[in-house]
Amino acid sequence: MKNPFRGIAEAFILTVGITPPTPERERVATIFISTMLIGAVLFALGVGVFLLRRII
């Protein structure tokens, strides 16, 4: 079974147009990209909750 995070990282690399990592660095790149994307989503949710609490 293919790692779902690898698919996310590959899609990000192709969408953004960055140079794909070497096979030795692919695992590190997958972890970095997945962590960065998950962090961005959590940050956006946190800001959204903060703003909703301030408005309501």
Side-chain angles (χ1 to χ4, degrees), residues 19-42:
T19 304
T22 61
E24 300 85 32
R25 304 289 294 179
E26 186 175 353
R27 182 173 182 267
V28 174
T30 300
I31 292 170
F32 177 78
I33 291 170
S34 298
T35 304
M36 181 182 61
L37 292 174
I38 291 169
V41 168
L42 290 176

Side-chain angles (χ1 to χ4, degrees), residues 7-19 37:
I8 292 169
E10 288 175 5
F12 180 82
I13 289 169
L14 292 174
T15 301
V16 176
I18 59 175
T19 304
L37 292 174

Side-chain angles (χ1 to χ4, degrees), residues 43-56:
F43 179 76
L45 287 172
V47 169
V49 168
F50 175 75
L51 291 175
L52 285 174
R53 290 184 61 99
R54 296 279 289 177
I55 293 171
I56 296 176

